């Protein structure tokens, strides 16, 4: 059984995680503010500015009108209400897979509801995951750039240093990932909570600049703006979606904090603070249209500019940390799903299950982030690239949610259409609006998502073909066991454990060991590791054993898709003696061929990916001094 959920924290499958002290509701709520809402909490730095800049056609204030300000603020407020509050907080959080959320957890529920694995649900999951990575690349870049750009308001002399300083911050951020976030995680919540309070205060101080901004609560202003401004309105709508970037973290991080703390934090602090800040920015622009250059920082007096830039930078680092950590979790779970190669995964905390570090993913992300900072140079230029990946991911969520509500929750088709279809339509409109930005930077997340989807699709197809080729022509397991036990090959003391992906087939390492070494161990275990469609599996029943003959047995070790498969720990926990055991592993050398298997162009993708995958001893935590590798050559 394959796992199909990729969001949330990852457990290690080792005993030190089993007795973590329970966390209080309010501590979880505070943690939610720091981790879940870090991304959406930095959106006011650029969302309104870029939306109005798109409406006017430039970053100046010459064409700014009262109708534009009221319309765009109204669109932002109602986007927060409809997309985040109603869709995610009220509805999507109900779709939990044993407490876990995320795009591929939704895929799991959809497949469970349909009663089988369907190609379309898997493809939707891979597309959603691919688009998420595009968002992860852009979020740190645009967040840090928008914060550091506040220095230009302190003095224009800082302008040449915005990009270099942003790069230093980002490189430092990625460089310290290997130390883990456990040591600073306790500060995330309080700092981000303070950030939301300061944002609310800044907005509240300026609402009185023009109290007519309160009319933006009426959605008619947003609709009137869209109808009367044509293409400019659609361009502004695409930028409006910047206000809800990070909303997908509500569902993805449900396993970290739980449904109730996420809802409490949103309704009790985050939504009111965001609404007050956007209303304050709008009121200030109604009174002072020239402030469109950077309305967020202009909410604060000149003496507070530098402290606000520092606070904003810290907030954006926290927001970036959250999405980077999410990328590590998604990557590990995608590996468990079989849509990414196995890379090395390191645990950085003995008490926090979600604290993992994937070096390969970390440095690939840093390379991509540096590239787009150098390429786009400003948050305004990056805003054109932002939004497309997020809207695409949300459309996929709505599609999967439709299946879950209809088949899993057993809502009537009419109710499902009435509830889910409006979100789908609204998000399609946002997707179309963001598609207008493709020539101006929107091509970047599209390119990243397409490339990653091709990689995932190729890896999934290649691994399936490789498994088929590797097992072709092998004798049935029962026949092999009868032949082996009746043969006169020498017996050697000890236990040989042969890992295989198919418990019904003869492991390649067993065949080659008998063929070339011409020996058979006293005890032979055919071991299969299964990743189940649940986030975490209880220890009871984790290891099952079936005796096949006097010398052969078949063993299955099960892990949840949120767990790191620590095979020796699981065996020892089941009272299996490993002191005199050796693990026999298959090593395959792959050759490209245009005549069979994958198309040649996919061979040149799959083979390097296979070579880059981590060693199976790392994958299953097998001690190197107990591992024996047996190789073979396969043309694919």
């Amino acid at each position: 059984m394959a796992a199909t959920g990729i969001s949330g924290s990852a457990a290690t499958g080792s005993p030190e995680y089993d007795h973590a002290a329970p966390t209080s509701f309010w501590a979880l709520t505070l943690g939610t503010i720091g981790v879940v809402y870090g991304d959406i909490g930095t959106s006011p730095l650029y969302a309104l500015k870029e939306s109005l800049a798109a409406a006017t056609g430039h970053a100046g204030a010459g064409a700014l009108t009262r109708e534009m300000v009221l319309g765009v603020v109204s669109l932002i407020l109602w986007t927060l209400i409809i997309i985040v509050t109603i869709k995610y907080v009220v509805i999507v959080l109900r779709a939990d897979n044993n407490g876990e959320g995320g795009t591929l957890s939704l895929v799991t529920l959809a497949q469970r509801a349909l009663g089988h694995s369907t190609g379309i649900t898997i493809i939707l999951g891979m597309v959603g995951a691919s688009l998420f990575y595009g968002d992860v690349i852009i979020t740190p870049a645009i967040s840090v750039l928008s914060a550091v750009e506040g220095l230009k308001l302190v003095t224009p002399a800082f302008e040449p240093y915005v990009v270099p300083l942003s790069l230093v911050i980002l490189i430092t951020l990625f460089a310290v990932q290997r130390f883990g976030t456990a040591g600073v995680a306790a500060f995330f919540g309080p700092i981000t909570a303070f950030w939301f309070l300061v944002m609310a205060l800044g907005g509240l101080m300026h609402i009185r600049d023009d109290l007519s901004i309160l009319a933006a609560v009426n959605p008619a202003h947003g609709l009137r703006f869209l109808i009367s401004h044509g293409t400019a309105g659609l361009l502004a709508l695409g930028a409006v979606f910047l206000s809800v970037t990070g909303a997908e973290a509500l569902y993805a991080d449900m396993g970290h904090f739980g449904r109730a703390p996420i809802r409490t934090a949103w309704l009790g602090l985050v939504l009111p603070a965001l609404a007050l800040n956007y209303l304050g920015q709008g009121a200030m622009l109604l009174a002072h249209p020239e402030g469109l250059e950077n309305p967020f920082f202009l909410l604060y007096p000149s003496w507070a500019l530098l402290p606000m830039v520092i606070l904003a930078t810290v907030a954006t680092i926290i927001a970036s940390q959250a999405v980077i950590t999410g990328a590590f979790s998604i990557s590990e779970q995608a590996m468990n799903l079989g849509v990414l190669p196995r890379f090395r995964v390191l645990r950085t905390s003995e008490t926090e299950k979600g604290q993992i570090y994937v070096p390969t993913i970390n440095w690939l992300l840093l390379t991509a982030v540096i590239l787009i900072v150098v390429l786009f140079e400003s948050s305004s230029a990056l805003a054109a690239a932002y939004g497309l990946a997020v809207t695409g991911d949300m459309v996929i969520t709505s599609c999967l949610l439709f299946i879950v509500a209809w088949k899993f929750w057993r809502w009537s088709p009419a109710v499902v259409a009435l509830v889910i279809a409006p979100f789908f339509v609204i998000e399609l409109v946002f997707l179309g609006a963001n598609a207008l930005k493709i020539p101006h930077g929107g091509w970047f997340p599209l390119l990243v998502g397409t490339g990653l989807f091709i990689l995932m699709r190729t890896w999934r197809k290649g691994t399936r073909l490789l498994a088929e080729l590797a097992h072709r022509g092998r004798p049935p397991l029962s026949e092999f066991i009868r032949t082996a036990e009746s043969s006169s090959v020498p017996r050697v003391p000890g236990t040989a454990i042969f890992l295989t992906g198919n418990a019904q087939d003869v492991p390649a390492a067993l065949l080659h060991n008998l063929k070339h070494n011409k020996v058979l161990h006293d005890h032979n275990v055919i071991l299969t590791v299964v990743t189940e469609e649940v986030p975490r599996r209880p220890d009871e029943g984790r290891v099952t054993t079936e005796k096949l003959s006097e010398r052969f047995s078949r063993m299955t070790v099960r892990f949840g898709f949120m767990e790191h498969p620590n095979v020796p720990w699981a065996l020892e926990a089941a009272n299996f003696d490993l002191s005199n055991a050796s693990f026999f592993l298959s090593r395959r050398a792959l050759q490209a061929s245009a005549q069979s298997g994958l198309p040649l162009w996919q061979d040149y993708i799959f083979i390097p990916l296979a070579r880059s995958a981590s060693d199976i001893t790392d994958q299953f935590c097998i001690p190197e001094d107990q591992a024996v590798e047996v190789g073979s050559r396969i043309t694919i």
Side-chain angles (χ1 to χ4, degrees), residues 54-55 225-238 433 436:
F225 167 76
L226 285 178
I227 293 169
S228 62
H229 283 76
T231 303
L234 281 177
L235 289 170
L237 188 64
L436 296 175

Side-chain angles (χ1 to χ4, degrees), residues 211-279:
L211 291 175
S212 65
I213 190 63
L214 296 176
V217 175
N218 184 350
H221 286 285
L223 294 173
R224 191 180 303 119
F225 167 76
L226 285 178
I227 293 169
S228 62
H229 283 76
T231 303
L234 281 177
L235 289 170
L237 188 64
V240 162
F241 210 79
L242 296 172
S243 63
V244 295
T245 55
E248 66 278 6
L250 287 171
Y251 185 38
D253 287 326
M254 181 164 60
H256 289 244
F257 302 99
R259 185 185 297 121
I262 290 175
R263 286 175 171 169
T264 301
W266 174 256
L267 297 173
L269 175 63
V270 179
L271 178 60
L274 291 173
L276 286 173
N277 190 268
Y278 284 121
L279 287 169

Side-chain angles (χ1 to χ4, degrees), residues 300-322:
Y300 303 93
S302 57
W303 60 266
L305 275 179
L306 189 57
M308 278 306 300
V309 170
I310 294 172
L311 180 59
T313 302
V314 173
T316 57
I317 289 172
I318 292 174
S320 301
Q321 176 65 62

